Each structure stands twice: as C-alpha cells, then as structure tokens.
Amino acid sequence: MDKDITMRLAQQPEADALLARSPLAALVGMLLDQQVPMEWAFAGPYTISRRLGADDLDAHAIAAYDPEAFAALLSEKPAVHRYPGSMAKRIQQLCAYLVEHYDGDAAAVWADAGTGAELLDRLKALPGFGEQKAQIFLALLGKRFGVRPTGWREAAGGYGPANVYRSAADITGPESLAKVRAYKQEQKAAAKAAKPASS
C-alpha cells in the first residue's frame, strides 16, 4: 500500500503503521472489528504479527498454521479479541480464501475491480464479511487508501459520503474516533428504542 498513508485506527503507532502498509493486516483488522472496541480490533493484526515473529501477516502461513496453535496464539494475554478462539478460526478461513482465490495477495481483492459494485461483491464474498462490514471496508479503501473505482461511494452506502463520522473509514485521530463512537451509540440507542417491548 501507499507509503504516505497514515492510519489512526489502532491509536498505536506501530499497529497503525502495519495497517497502512499491509493490505492483509487491514482486512484482518476489519474482520476483528466486532463486539470489541475499534482500537482493540485494529491493533490485533500487529499483535498477531509480533506473536508469529514476523513484520507482516502472510496469508499462506496463517492458512497453513495449526488451528489449535493459532487459537492459542490469539488467546495469550492480552487476548487479541474477546472471542479469540472463534476469531482465530475466522482469520484462518479468510486467509485460506485469499490463498485459493488471490494467491494469498489481499490487495488483489481490490486492485483491478472496475466498479464499486464489483468491489463490494468481492468483499462480501470474503469469509466473515457481511454487507455492512464490506461497505465499511470499501469506504475505508476509498477514503484512506485511494482505491476509488467508479461508483465506490454509492456502493459503500451510508459509509461512502465525505465528512461523515460513521465508521472506521472516517477515523483520522482521537477526535474523529470519538465522533464515530458517539454515532454508533446513537444508532444502538435508536435500534433499542425501535424494538417493541416484550410483554
């Protein structure tokens, strides 16, 4: 990825530097971004690379890693995720898919996508990526990494517009992180209020 990219998702310089230079790290961080604070999720790839004794993540190596040993690696204190065992499995599934379909090159998922819609379809095909996660990652690629196929903002849905604070794609520092967190809390509260009270 571009050496001029600055990431602030993990709020840790080394972890953010890895996200900026490693397409696979960025994908794994996005995969981990559920049911834990965003900074915890996006620091995960760096923690994993350190525990593997590597400077980067390698899809071939992770896909081939012994599943029990990989789960143990993620479970070491401090754990990489609240659910390290299930997330270890998901990361290995993602890496196996990348090996099978893209020869282990995460950047190939978006390198030659002709349109935003095509890129969204490719992201949704990744294990662990539903519609919402795929749209957020598409917005992250467009806003932070300069990956902008025709119609990318539209394909990213509500996460595509400029000057919104809705997802990981909009974080450039602590201030924007606080705004995104506030937005997510509002969404959660609205969803809770919309649920009919159980009798």
Side-chain angles (χ1 to χ4, degrees):
M1 283 187 176
D2 192 331
K3 291 190 172 50
D4 298 331
I5 291 164
T6 303
M7 298 296 277
R8 294 270 187 271
L9 288 169
Q11 305 281 302
Q12 293 175 26
E14 299 90 347
D16 280 322
L18 178 62
L19 295 171
R21 72 172 184 269
S22 166
L24 180 56
L27 269 181
V28 169
M30 190 75 237
L31 182 67
L32 290 168
D33 185 22
Q34 58 193 63
Q35 298 174 301
V36 294
M38 208 178 296
E39 311 93 295
W40 183 4
F42 282 98
Y46 179 71
T47 305
I48 294 167
S49 71
R50 295 297 302 236
R51 290 179 185 174
L52 288 169
D55 291 329
D56 195 355
L57 298 182
D58 180 307
H60 290 275
I62 292 173
Y65 213 86
D66 175 72
E68 280 185 26
F70 192 64
L73 194 87
L74 269 69
S75 302
E76 279 175 33
K77 299 267 186 274
V80 168
H81 194 274
R82 183 175 292 154
Y83 303 107
S86 61
M87 280 302 172
K89 194 173 176 182
R90 285 188 179 191
I91 291 168
Q92 287 196 291
Q93 286 169 343
L94 173 65
C95 289
Y97 182 91
L98 292 171
V99 167
E100 186 183 342
H101 296 272
Y102 297 100
D103 195 27
D105 179 9
V109 175
W110 52 85
D112 61 350
T115 64
E118 183 187 346
L119 178 49
L120 182 64
D121 284 343
R122 290 185 185 188
L123 291 169
K124 278 166 41 181
L126 298 173
F129 278 68
E131 177 97 19
Q132 186 185 38
K133 200 177 277 288
Q135 286 188 320
I136 291 171
F137 195 78
L138 200 162
L140 182 73
L141 287 172
K143 292 177 180 183
R144 300 283 155 253
F145 294 104
V147 176
R148 296 170 183 159
T150 310
W152 71 272
R153 285 193 191 274
E154 292 76 8
Y159 305 104
N163 305 313
V164 296
Y165 297 96
R166 292 178 181 162
S167 74
D170 305 307
I171 293 168
T172 53
E175 197 182 315
S176 48
L177 174 64
K179 288 181 182 177
V180 169
R181 190 156 277 147
Y183 171 79
K184 286 185 165 192
Q185 282 164 349
E186 281 169 27
Q187 294 297 103
K188 223 174 249 180
K192 207 173 184 180
K195 270 187 187 161
S198 52
S199 50

